[in-house]
Amino acid sequence: MQSCSGGTWAQLAARCRELDGAGYGAYKQLTGTYHDEGQGWQLVVDRVQSDPFAAPSKVRVIVPRDDLDLDPEFTHSRLDRVAVADALAREVATYLAEEAPTAGRSGSGKSNSISIGALGQEVIERTNVLVTPERIEFRLLVGLPARGRRVLGRQAATLLVDDVVAAVAAGMRLERDALERAVWLLRDQEALRAALKERSLVAFVADGAMLARRSGASDLPLPDGVPFRSPSSLREKFALPSGRKVKGMGVPEGVTVIVGGGFHGKSTLLRALERGVYAHTLGDGREFVLTRADAAAVRAEDGRPVTAQDISPFISDLPTGADTTRFSTANASGSTSQAANVVEALQAGASALLIDEDTSATNFMIRDSVMAQLIQGGREPITPFSARVRGLYVQCGVSTVLVAGGTGAFLGLADTVIAMDAYVPEDVTQRAHAVGRGYEPEQLPVSPELFGPDARCLQGAQFTYRSKPPKARGVDTISVGKSDIDLGSLSQLAGAPQVSAIALALRRIDALADGEASPSEVVDALCEELGDGIDSLTPGRAHPGHLTLPRRNELLAVVNRFRNLRVD
């Protein structure tokens, strides 16, 4: 039998049954487009896996847009389409998890499975479902069934024609009210985020928000968490496009320090602000915990590579004589890594830095007066962050939100001090200033030129090794040939599908780099292309797999962590 170009769903089922018992490679004969006999739906088998243990097959179901019970006004804008696509994908995922019959069937490897992808709690542009004014595409990954490496044709017929279509039908039955709520929620979230700068705020945390997560391994809300309650002095109110009104705590621009005893919620609040760069789905608890989209979490990262980076605002006059205006190392220390991370966050355009003392290098963050007396003047090559933090805001407009549990060095420097007590915030700014008065570290001037644009020029054709493209490996690694890029410290990544998208983006960065543009300029050019949609990362592919749109910050961070990075 030759590979076919399609037919009806009934013919697809018949062909599956005809293949029963054949070698697994016979499934490739199913590639093609199949139509139903009445609804106008299409089922497309784009790519068939090579064996039951390989990556699943790519299957799409294409449905006319008019079949969705939703007024066209709710899919006119890109933002609305993201909301609708996310809601449909979640409905399919719920059906597959709770009602699909495939889980009970036997099979080899990854066979007998249907997936709409890992969605996470964030509402971001993904490739899982495509919504256009004309059609809706559900992009599924399907493990075609096998016993050993033999086709299970009857099960395949049921899986493709019955189960796949039933899952999509479950998504399409999502009620109009639920779809409209998803659209209005995302409209409200992004309207509030856009208003943050107008209000001179870095972030907002709504009253009633549930910040605590079930565990470090789960992003789901903790069922018995403490609802957030804003201190009256920091309370802000927003009227949103849907007519909804929300109130809660505004985190002002400037230097904000979060203090409190151990296990009282300091880091939980900061983590929520880190994740607030994304919108969240209804029921997450952080629907109205929103942070400026360019905010960057910064930490120490022992062992990361640094290539020709200017860390001189924080580190200079090294005993080795190394030039810290073009500093390189394959194995950065805590202080040099955090210096590089701050500089790279600013090159990525961050208007706010989010820092936790627990994940920072102490000698990078502070230098107390006692140690300053012992190690004087030119003997200390590190200019601590505490000496630059005010200047970063006053001269450069970059705010800092800092969790401090073991040092009071930042209290006298802070514009706002929030104390967490059993997960309840209190504005203790005046008291903190009184306590910290006289203990403020020396402040050094910060000119905009001190943190100037990236002077490096990115060379092209370096992220492809012997014609093999970069490959994502889970949530914290991208392999480039024999070299791995460690992403474990990038706490704002939105899961494995976003890492997969970044791996694909590195190929495009290779093509855009001309040896004359800086890494940030090349990433800017890529982000402009992504303005046409995340599908632009996979031109020519009808089914791109499951990808999540990455932020500019993480794209640039991954480039900078490549150990073999070549710059002029």
Side-chain angles (χ1 to χ4, degrees):
M1 184 185 297
Q2 299 297 315
S3 175
C4 66
S5 59
T8 66
W9 290 358
Q11 289 172 325
L12 172 60
R15 285 172 183 143
C16 288
R17 290 190 287 268
E18 289 172 10
L19 296 176
D20 192 52
Y24 199 86
Y27 271 134
K28 293 187 180 296
Q29 299 173 27
L30 302 179
T31 303
T33 301
Y34 302 85
H35 61 272
D36 71 341
E37 296 173 327
Q39 287 181 283
W41 290 22
Q42 292 182 322
L43 190 153
V44 185
V45 181
D46 286 298
R47 187 191 66 82
V48 174
Q49 64 207 93
S50 56
D51 66 54
F53 301 90
S57 303
K58 292 182 175 180
V59 175
R60 287 177 295 142
V61 178
I62 304 173
V63 181
R65 163 63 183 84
D66 292 343
D67 284 11
L68 188 66
D69 183 20
L70 184 66
D71 192 285
E73 73 166 282
F74 288 100
T75 53
H76 280 166
S77 74
R78 182 176 179 180
L79 184 71
D80 289 353
R81 291 193 292 272
V82 168
V84 171
D86 181 83
L88 293 175
R90 291 182 191 279
E91 192 70 8
V92 172
T94 298
Y95 172 85
L96 291 172
E98 298 177 358
E99 301 183 42
T102 55
R105 298 199 186 122
S106 61
S108 305
K110 301 177 182 178
S111 70
N112 256 334
S113 64
I114 305 171
S115 173
I116 192 71
L119 300 176
Q121 296 294 99
E122 303 87 3
V123 180
I124 322 176
E125 183 175 333
R126 299 184 179 93
T127 58
N128 310 56
V129 177
L130 174 68
V131 177
T132 78
E134 297 79 30
R135 71 188 192 282
I136 301 173
E137 284 189 11
F138 293 82
R139 280 92 171 256
L140 302 162
L141 298 179
V142 178
L144 295 176
R147 180 175 291 112
R149 283 185 165 82
R150 293 287 173 181
V151 166
L152 288 174
R154 294 183 181 278
Q155 288 191 18
T158 301
L159 185 72
L160 283 173
V161 180
D162 295 337
D163 299 344
V164 163
V165 174
V168 170
M172 291 297 292
R173 287 195 299 270
L174 187 59
E175 295 180 357
R176 175 193 289 253
D177 286 350
L179 287 166
E180 291 183 358
R181 280 197 302 273
V183 171
W184 279 114
L185 176 59
L186 189 57
R187 287 178 179 177
D188 284 350
Q189 289 168 330
E190 294 308 322
L192 196 157
R193 192 193 310 281
L196 292 175
K197 189 172 184 179
E198 300 168 10
R199 298 271 190 104
S200 298
L201 299 175
V202 167
F204 174 80
V205 184
D207 286 346
M210 306 298 290
L211 306 188
R213 301 294 97 183
R214 293 186 185 180
S215 70
S218 173
D219 202 32
L220 295 173
L222 183 69
D224 300 322
V226 178
F228 190 84
R229 188 182 72 224
S230 170
S232 58
S233 58
L234 296 175
R235 184 163 292 137
E236 297 278 345
K237 298 179 181 179
F238 290 88
L240 301 174
S242 67
R244 185 195 323 249
K245 295 179 180 178
V246 295
K247 60 182 180 179
M249 183 179 78
V251 179
E253 292 178 345
V255 179
T256 297
V257 178
I258 303 171
V259 299
F263 305 98
H264 277 261
K266 305 185 300 298
S267 294
T268 298
L269 174 57
L270 190 72
R271 294 293 91 74
L273 298 182
E274 287 181 6
R275 306 310 297 178
V277 298
Y278 303 112
H280 285 84
T281 188
L282 187 66
D284 173 82
R286 299 169 296 182
E287 293 93 327
F288 288 99
V289 179
L290 296 163
T291 308
R292 289 191 184 182
D294 60 13
V298 174
R299 63 186 298 171
E301 196 175 341
D302 289 35
R304 66 152 286 189
V306 178
T307 304
Q309 188 57 271
D310 183 2
I311 61 171
S312 63
F314 298 106
I315 298 176
S316 59
D317 299 323
L318 290 174
T320 61
D323 180 7
T324 59
T325 65
R326 284 185 66 85
F327 181 78
S328 295
T329 179
N331 187 23
S333 66
S335 56
T336 54
S337 65
Q338 195 160 3
N341 288 345
V342 169
V343 169
E344 290 165 3
L346 300 180
Q347 290 171 351
S351 65
L353 305 176
L354 310 177
I355 303 176
D356 193 330
E357 176 187 81
D358 283 349
T359 56
S360 296
T362 302
N363 62 339
F364 172 79
M365 294 298 294
I366 61 171
R367 185 163 176 255
D368 67 34
S369 57
V370 176
M371 189 61 72
Q373 291 181 51
L374 181 64
I375 309 297
Q376 296 184 356
R379 307 293 297 178
E380 175 53 71
I382 300 176
T383 299
F385 185 76
S386 59
R388 299 288 195 199
V389 65
R390 290 298 313 167
L392 273 171
Y393 175 61
V394 175
Q395 277 82 42
C396 301
V398 178
S399 299
T400 297
V401 180
L402 168 71
V403 166
T407 177
F410 291 89
L411 296 182
L413 303 173
D415 299 290
T416 307
V417 182
I418 300 167
M420 298 298 293
D421 183 1
Y423 290 87
V424 176
E426 180 184 358
D427 181 358
V428 296
T429 306
Q430 291 186 351
R431 186 150 44 100
H433 284 173
V435 171
R437 189 175 297 119
Y439 294 95
E440 303 96 329
E442 178 189 4
Q443 290 300 287
L444 299 178
V446 175
S447 66
E449 294 76 22
L450 187 66
F451 294 97
D454 192 349
R456 303 172 299 168
C457 295
L458 185 65
Q459 296 183 27
Q462 55 180 307
F463 292 109
T464 300
Y465 179 79
R466 295 182 179 177
S467 301
K468 292 183 179 180
K471 184 175 179 60
R473 301 192 183 279
V475 297
D476 57 10
T477 304
I478 294 175
S479 294
V480 180
K482 297 179 180 180
S483 177
D484 286 343
I485 305 176
D486 183 0
L487 315 182
S489 293
L490 301 184
S491 60
Q492 292 174 290
L493 279 169
Q498 196 175 67
V499 176
S500 296
I502 293 173
L504 285 169
L506 290 177
R507 292 195 297 178
R508 187 62 191 143
I509 286 172
D510 256 353
L512 291 169
D514 58 4
E516 297 182 2
S518 70
S520 55
E521 289 170 334
V522 173
V523 169
D524 280 345
L526 172 63
C527 289
E528 187 173 342
E529 292 183 357
L530 291 175
D532 295 329
I534 190 172
D535 278 12
S536 63
L537 285 176
T538 54
R541 292 191 203 173
H543 190 318
H546 294 152
L547 308 171
T548 298
L549 186 69
R551 294 196 309 157
R552 182 180 190 269
N553 306 57
E554 280 69 46
L555 286 165
L556 192 56
V558 171
V559 169
N560 280 316
R561 280 158 180 76
F562 182 40
R563 290 191 176 277
N564 301 320
L565 188 66
R566 299 196 306 273
V567 294
D568 294 327

